Amino acid sequence: MPRFLFAVLHRYALALLCLSLLAAAGGIFWYSRATADAAPNAAAAASAEWTDAPADDTRSGSDILLGLAREAMHDGRLLAPAGSNAWEFYLSVLQLEPQNRVAQEALRESFPRAANEIERTINRRELEEARREIDLLREFDRDNFTLALLGGKLSAARNIVMRQHEAEAERIRQANAARGAR
């Protein structure tokens, strides 16, 4: 339960940070527009700064996400919990900046550890979580052979669980039939 609460609080903190950045960007935009209307020369400078702003926002957004990813790695949140783990943060950086070397290298280096973590998740029979984690790794490297092996192991584990459920259902049916025959 504390891990869940931590994840929820972490998401709210991230949302609050994003809203603060958005409010600051809005304030800067409003201020630059107000000063642009006051002085004709300032208007040209403000519009020149405005065209550069999206690149700066992307960069600062990437920097924030990289910081969150490093923090998640430090805390041992490589693939879980959903929404607050290093892989999702690094993948978000790559959505903003597809050629970001730091994110690419971090994902490449942590891939073997992530694959081992997925295997442990499958062994614990947390099959839906394992599917989510495999999908995360596929976003980075769709054709990786390790992912094919993990997908096969996940499929086999699902078959085993399904057979166990079918056997349990049959046992219950037989028990109910035996009670009905009395």
Side-chain angles (χ1 to χ4, degrees), residues 159-181:
N159 287 337
I160 290 169
V161 168
M162 185 176 62
R163 286 187 190 128
Q164 288 172 341
H165 288 173
E166 288 171 350
E168 181 65 17
E170 182 59 30
R171 187 191 63 75
I172 291 171
R173 273 193 292 271
Q174 289 175 357
N176 286 339
R179 282 188 202 141

Side-chain angles (χ1 to χ4, degrees), residues 2-148:
R3 186 175 178 106
F4 171 75
L5 186 58
F6 178 77
V8 169
L9 291 175
H10 198 276
R11 285 187 196 135
Y12 284 123
L14 180 61
L16 183 60
L17 178 66
C18 291
L19 286 174
S20 299
L21 287 172
L22 185 61
I28 291 169
F29 175 73
W30 176 81
Y31 179 76
S32 66
R33 285 305 210 186
T35 56
D37 291 340
N41 289 341
S47 66
E49 288 176 17
W50 175 246
T51 59
D52 293 340
D56 293 341
D57 288 345
T58 299
R59 188 70 196 142
S60 68
S62 295
D63 291 341
I64 290 169
L65 289 167
L66 287 171
L68 291 170
R70 279 188 220 100
E71 181 182 315
M73 288 287 260
H74 182 266
D75 294 344
R77 295 179 285 124
L78 185 60
L79 295 169
S84 183
N85 62 68
W87 266 78
E88 289 182 30
F89 291 134
Y90 283 128
L91 288 171
S92 295
V93 169
L94 291 179
Q95 286 179 346
L96 291 173
E97 294 180 44
Q99 301 305 317
N100 187 295
R101 288 246 195 244
V102 174
Q104 288 175 345
E105 191 61 31
L107 292 173
R108 191 175 294 102
E109 287 178 4
S110 65
F111 196 96
R113 256 182 53 217
N116 288 336
E117 195 169 307
I118 291 170
E119 189 167 11
R120 285 190 299 274
T121 303
I122 293 170
N123 291 340
R124 289 190 309 265
R125 299 287 194 250
E126 297 172 12
L127 304 182
E128 289 307 311
E129 176 64 14
R131 167 56 48 210
R132 185 192 68 78
E133 292 173 357
I134 288 172
D135 289 344
L136 269 180
L137 271 64
R138 279 198 175 122
E139 283 185 47
F140 178 66
D141 189 356
R142 180 161 297 286
D143 300 324
N144 191 294
F145 182 70
T146 302
L147 293 177

